[in-house]
Amino acid sequence: MAHHVLHMPCTEADIRKLRAGDTVTLQDTLFGIRDATQIHMFDRGRRTRFDLNGHAVIHTAPNVRKVDPSGTNQAGYEAVCIGTTTSDRMERFTRPLMEREGVRIIIGKGGLREESAKAFQELGGCYLAVIGGAAALETTWIAAIEDVDMDDLNPESLWRFAIKDFGPLIVGMDSHGGSLYRDVQASVEARRAAVLAKLGAG
């Protein structure tokens, strides 16, 4: 296992170097996105003015405070707590995020399913996992809220964060078919089968 530092935006070659179980720290820019954002983008045809090509998105609806725009809070928002939400319910948006918007990295909790795994393999993407309950720590990795789009959906707007040392995050799913979630599931099923067999209940 290796540790990687990626400056955003990144390339497909950068992503192909990552393997499930590696750790990654991101620098420079990160975009926040959630259910409503993607429903509007892909089900209702809205387009963002942001260029997401080569970037990372994090599944989040941040807790923010409205402030006067300033050098560190150009969008007029200050971060209060920026955590991560469960990714599974946004499974169907992985491929369109990558194909239409050029996104390379999805960050969230709990992993994604096989269709996302296929998209990562075919298009050169990956899933980076955040440990649940780490929102306070994640917030310290956000240097500023630089901009916001689709703010009528607040807090499920499309956020652009300036980040510094965002991580380390775990590569949960890579671009080669590797998945820590699949590995854990297989291990659990094998152990369950062994226990049932020992009990004569298999």
Side-chain angles (χ1 to χ4, degrees):
M1 297 180 189
H3 181 68
H4 309 262
V5 177
L6 295 182
H7 290 265
M8 297 291 103
C10 64
T11 66
E12 180 177 350
D14 293 327
I15 298 300
R16 297 290 184 188
K17 294 175 185 175
L18 308 180
R19 297 284 178 168
D22 285 355
T23 55
V24 177
T25 297
L26 300 180
Q27 304 286 2
D28 305 325
T29 303
L30 176 64
F31 291 92
I33 201 166
R34 195 159 163 160
D35 310 62
T37 334
Q38 296 176 92
I39 287 169
H40 278 257
M41 288 174 68
F42 301 114
D43 294 349
R44 301 182 185 176
R46 290 181 70 174
R47 291 279 183 166
T48 176
R49 58 186 171 83
F50 293 154
D51 181 3
L52 303 182
N53 190 45
H55 279 283
V57 299
I58 185 169
H59 290 151
T60 185
N63 185 348
V64 298
R65 180 186 298 115
K66 192 78 172 171
V67 296
D68 291 332
S70 67
T72 54
N73 297 292
Q74 300 170 25
Y77 288 105
E78 180 181 68
V80 176
C81 187
I82 299 178
T84 312
T85 192
T86 303
S87 299
D88 184 77
R89 63 183 183 274
M90 290 172 270
E91 162 73 19
R92 67 188 180 93
F93 298 117
T94 300
R95 186 173 289 275
L97 267 177
M98 297 183 70
E99 288 183 335
R100 195 183 90 179
E101 303 295 337
V103 168
R104 290 285 175 197
I105 298 170
I106 295 175
I107 303 170
K109 290 191 304 190
L112 289 163
R113 304 182 212 170
E114 287 305 311
E115 286 306 310
S116 290
K118 291 177 185 176
F120 293 147
Q121 281 187 272
E122 294 169 16
L123 303 171
C126 71
Y127 181 88
L128 302 182
V130 174
I131 302 300
L137 177 60
E138 290 173 63
T139 306
T140 68
W141 301 337
I142 304 289
I145 300 175
E146 290 185 322
D147 204 350
V148 58
D149 193 16
M150 302 186 192
D151 205 22
D152 56 304
L153 305 176
N154 192 300
E156 299 194 31
S157 312
L158 182 53
W159 303 89
R160 189 176 77 201
F161 305 122
I163 57 172
K164 180 175 174 55
D165 299 330
F166 198 94
L169 309 172
I170 301 170
V171 180
M173 301 169 72
D174 64 29
S175 62
H176 307 281
S179 170
L180 298 185
Y181 304 98
R182 191 188 305 116
D183 293 347
V184 168
Q185 185 63 34
S187 174
V188 168
E189 290 175 358
R191 290 168 65 186
R192 177 179 180 274
V195 169
L196 290 175
K198 189 174 181 179
L199 296 173

